[in-house]
Amino acid sequence: MMKKLFKNKMILFGVSFTALLILLTFIIPQVVPLSPLQQDLPARLSSPGAKHIMGTDALGRDVFIRIIYGARISLLVGFVSVTIALLIGVPLGLLAGFHGGWVDNLIMRIVDIMLCFPSIFLILMVITFLEPNIINVMAVIGLTSWPGLTRYVRGEALSVRKRDYISAAKMMNIGRVRILFIHMLPNVIAPVLITATLGIGSAILTESVLSFLGLGVQPPSPSWGNILTSGKNYMGSRAWWLILFPAGAIFLTVLSFNLIGEGLRDHLDPHKKFLKKG
Amino acid sequence: MFIPLLIGITVISFTVMHLTPGSPVDDFKMNPNIDARARHRFYKLYGLDQPLYIQYAGWFGNVITFDFGRSFKDGRKVLTKILERLPATLLLNLFALGVIFAVAVPAGVLSAVKQNSFTDRFLAVLVFAGYSLPAFALALILMYVFGVKFGWLPISGMVSVNYSYLSFWGKVFDLLKHLVLPVITSAVGGLAFMSRYMRATVLEVMRQDFIKAVRARGVSKKGIITVHIFRNALIPLVTLFGLLIPSLIGGSVVFETIFSWPGMGRLAYGAIMSRDYPVVMGVGVIMALLTLIGNLIADIGYAAVDPRIRYEK
């Protein structure tokens, strides 16, 4: 199975890049003595060169080091907020699909309402009133990104619930919770996995937008978003490296997760494959 | 469906706004001329001393008549503030929608018709890149390249300083110049999504029996594509229109802030930053309303293009 997965070039690229990034976030701090806050004042706003491979920002801090430390935050936000969304979205979706009736109605109307809001607006609204820090960012992204997942899981659950093995389980008087998680969950896990992987990418994207707007990770802590803010502020000084490198980091990371997600879809989702054959 | 959704939306935005710590009166703490008693009077004036449900009931009653109250910041009517910003936002998003459809539809059809060709693969890579592209970072890159480096395009605002001295066509040109970068960045995300969807739909239509029948009758390939496939592929496109609206409108908060575009999104950002409750709530409701209207248009359009769909009376 694993071997087959890695034959897929999309997955291979995605996993390799993510693994490399994670590895770098562990290795670089051990090997390079620079901290992301350390200033090299004579070399303020210096363009990429031998000493600072990605240049320095207006305070003389090394951009490469800041991007590597920023990666920790981005990856953490990605994984944690998706976990939160999964913990809320999957049980609700299973419940709605399995139970039907008013429970289904109630849950799906809440989902509809949540989906009506431009999610970034909702997130901005909440985050401004909370202290903008990484924990709140993760919580808010997680708490606002479950509705799509719920809708998806519900659809899957609906198609599973009339199957014979569920009826059999009901007949054997197995408890509802047990049916939901032991009998139904494994059968809807594939699409959940795909959605979750894609969700990590979009959570990373959201975090960078928030930090860029000054509502996420607060300076001086490095984050890809707030490096971009300094890039915007020093655009007049033509500090292109403050824009290009963090933008590239976000792009490649999000791309990797999307590639993994799509690759998984090719393998796990039989319907999609059918479509592809055309 | 429409009304309960709207009520739910207002309840959520109201709760969120009021559950979060901080109050609009906090700002006055910095002002030495305003003592605690005056602050309290402000508090009372805004009705903040009332229980939440009473505040909500009062506010909701007004919202129905589009009266969102007055801004805490400058005392102007929220509706006036929003209405003067709305055209800019609509202009930006309509252009973005236009670009999305104008590019994504032909691209999707092309890659479906030439399935698995080099063109298809190339477009697929582009689309995938577009999916993963952080649009706000792209905005900065474009700003840098076209605005700062080459100086071809303006990077902020909606019109130039000398706007009022320009001739009519000069004004139009000036506005269009300011539109280019914001429109491109707003369109990128939807573009990828849309062309990919279009490709899938066209492929699905192509597989159907009536296409085989048309082909058997000897209709030219061009005829098949433009008349038979295209029209049938349009149906799901209409629904997508509804899906695009929220992301476009949500995106305008970010892009308008980046490009200093004087629209609703930037108004919202400023209001959020200064805890101007009435403005934030007003913008929230209007945004959700626009989304709902978008969905409604999509539903109606759906019934109009697909004769198989008839809503029960």
Side-chain angles (χ1 to χ4, degrees):
Chain A
M1 177 72 183
M2 271 323 233
K3 225 177 177 177
K4 218 171 136 194
L5 280 182
F6 279 110
K7 267 200 184 141
N8 184 318
K9 277 183 208 139
M10 294 201 279
I11 295 185
L12 190 66
F13 175 86
V15 171
S16 325
F17 182 81
T18 320
L20 180 74
L21 194 66
I22 294 174
L23 217 62
L24 279 179
T25 62
F26 282 109
I27 293 177
I28 293 288
Q30 308 297 327
V31 180
V32 185
L34 278 173
S35 100
L37 303 180
Q38 196 168 318
Q39 296 176 306
D40 180 0
L41 286 173
R44 279 200 316 264
L45 280 180
S46 60
S47 51
K51 203 169 163 207
H52 301 285
I53 56 169
M54 288 186 183
T56 58
D57 67 5
L59 297 171
R61 299 173 298 194
D62 189 277
V63 173
F64 176 67
I65 298 293
R66 285 181 76 73
I67 286 182
I68 291 298
Y69 277 83
R72 287 181 170 182
I73 288 174
S74 294
L75 291 171
L76 189 69
V77 170
F79 284 113
V80 173
S81 51
V82 165
T83 309
I84 295 174
L86 282 175
L87 287 178
I88 303 173
V90 174
L92 279 182
L94 282 177
L95 192 65
F98 177 71
H99 199 284
W102 67 271
V103 175
D104 183 27
N105 239 322
L106 180 72
I107 293 176
M108 291 325 286
R109 286 304 81 77
I110 296 176
V111 166
D112 282 342
I113 292 170
M114 295 281 287
L115 288 177
C116 252
F117 269 105
S119 66
I120 187 79
F121 182 74
L122 201 62
I123 293 174
L124 281 176
M125 223 158 86
V126 179
I127 205 79
T128 335
F129 294 92
L130 301 172
E131 194 99 337
N133 61 38
I134 178 167
I135 296 188
N136 286 336
V137 167
M138 292 189 293
V140 170
I141 296 177
L143 288 176
T144 49
S145 54
W146 58 268
L149 201 63
T150 301
R151 181 175 270 188
Y152 210 74
V153 172
R154 171 191 175 257
E156 296 290 321
L158 271 181
S159 72
V160 170
R161 99 175 151 151
K162 292 283 179 218
R163 302 265 172 86
D164 289 342
Y165 63 87
I166 298 292
S167 311
K170 272 189 196 161
M171 251 186 303
M172 285 163 74
N173 207 14
I174 293 175
R176 187 179 297 164
V177 176
R178 202 177 150 81
I179 293 184
L180 281 185
F181 289 99
I182 307 288
H183 298 275
M184 286 181 92
L185 187 60
N187 291 291
V188 302
I189 205 83
V192 167
L193 205 64
I194 297 163
T195 325
T197 318
L198 298 174
I200 294 176
S202 73
I204 290 177
L205 210 57
T206 310
E207 184 275 324
S208 63
V209 173
L210 287 177
S211 298
F212 172 72
L213 292 175
L215 296 167
V217 176
Q218 296 299 305
S221 299
S223 132
W224 293 343
N226 65 33
I227 302 173
L228 279 167
T229 314
S230 66
K232 181 175 192 263
N233 295 340
Y234 288 91
M235 200 177 276
S237 318
R238 312 215 154 185
W240 55 266
W241 56 92
L242 288 179
I243 299 173
L244 189 67
F245 294 126
I250 299 171
F251 173 62
L252 286 176
T253 310
V254 176
L255 182 72
S256 299
F257 283 107
N258 285 350
L259 283 172
I260 300 173
E262 287 299 318
L264 283 178
R265 199 199 300 268
D266 282 354
H267 280 272
L268 299 177
D269 195 340
H271 177 65
K272 175 68 200 269
K273 223 174 191 174
F274 173 65
L275 265 184
K276 262 209 151 168
K277 264 187 201 154
Chain B
M1 205 50 235
F2 196 83
I3 303 296
L5 269 184
L6 200 61
I7 294 178
I9 286 162
T10 59
V11 169
I12 287 196
S13 43
F14 192 84
T15 321
V16 163
M17 290 294 298
H18 283 262
L19 279 185
T20 42
S23 110
V25 192
D26 286 353
D27 258 18
F28 299 138
K29 279 190 188 144
M30 303 301 235
N31 190 336
N33 294 322
I34 301 179
D35 62 3
R37 239 183 32 233
R39 260 209 320 272
H40 188 71
R41 276 209 301 276
F42 267 114
Y43 209 69
K44 265 196 132 145
L45 176 71
Y46 295 149
L48 293 168
D49 53 344
Q50 307 277 345
L52 262 188
Y53 61 91
I54 295 199
Q55 286 188 42
Y56 175 74
W59 178 76
F60 188 76
N62 292 334
V63 163
I64 296 181
T65 53
F66 282 103
D67 178 4
F68 297 112
R70 287 174 186 278
S71 160
F72 286 170
K73 272 268 114 71
D74 50 12
R76 293 176 56 219
K77 280 211 155 158
V78 173
L79 187 64
T80 334
K81 285 185 87 153
I82 292 177
L83 283 184
E84 65 190 24
R85 298 298 195 95
L86 194 58
T89 298
L90 289 181
L91 184 74
L92 180 61
N93 286 325
L94 284 179
F95 264 90
L97 265 181
V99 169
I100 291 174
F101 278 94
V103 178
V105 171
V109 174
L110 189 71
S111 55
V113 172
K114 304 199 166 188
Q115 197 192 357
N116 294 331
S117 68
F118 173 75
T119 325
D120 182 26
R121 298 253 160 86
F122 180 71
L123 284 173
V125 171
L126 272 192
V127 162
F128 213 86
Y131 255 153
S132 317
L133 209 61
F136 75 104
L138 176 75
L140 294 180
I141 293 175
L142 292 177
M143 270 167 110
Y144 179 79
V145 174
F146 294 103
V148 178
K149 184 108 187 169
F150 296 116
W152 289 338
L153 290 166
I155 56 173
S156 79
M158 197 168 154
V159 291
S160 307
V161 251
N162 60 346
Y163 182 72
S164 46
Y165 299 106
L166 294 172
S167 65
F168 175 73
W169 288 112
K171 280 182 180 170
V172 171
F173 184 66
D174 188 55
L175 189 62
L176 286 179
K177 240 170 54 182
H178 281 82
L179 264 170
V180 177
L181 294 183
V183 165
I184 291 177
T185 40
S186 312
V188 167
L191 208 63
F193 175 64
M194 202 69 172
S195 54
R196 190 184 145 107
Y197 202 89
M198 195 66 201
R199 175 180 183 272
T201 333
V202 171
L203 280 180
E204 220 171 289
V205 174
M206 273 165 70
R207 268 208 317 273
Q208 282 173 19
D209 288 341
F210 71 88
I211 296 294
K212 270 185 209 139
V214 173
R215 195 174 283 162
R217 287 214 315 268
V219 178
S220 72
K221 199 172 178 192
K222 206 170 150 194
I224 295 180
I225 293 170
T226 50
V227 178
H228 301 278
I229 294 178
F230 186 65
R231 274 181 53 186
N232 281 288
L234 268 183
I235 297 170
L237 210 63
V238 178
T239 6
L240 274 192
F241 173 78
L243 283 179
L244 274 176
I245 304 273
S247 66
L248 272 179
I249 291 178
S252 56
V253 178
V254 178
F255 302 129
E256 286 179 7
T257 309
I258 294 179
F259 287 105
S260 308
W261 187 261
M264 217 167 68
R266 213 177 111 214
L267 178 72
Y269 182 70
I272 286 173
M273 287 310 224
S274 58
R275 290 189 185 147
D276 198 344
Y277 292 162
V279 176
V280 177
M281 309 268 295
V283 174
V285 172
I286 296 278
M287 277 185 174
L289 198 63
L290 286 178
T291 308
L292 284 179
I293 292 174
N295 286 338
L296 199 65
I297 294 176
D299 277 354
I300 295 170
Y302 204 48
V305 291
D306 190 346
R308 284 169 302 185
I309 292 172
R310 286 287 170 265
Y311 293 103
E312 284 150 312
K313 279 167 200 155

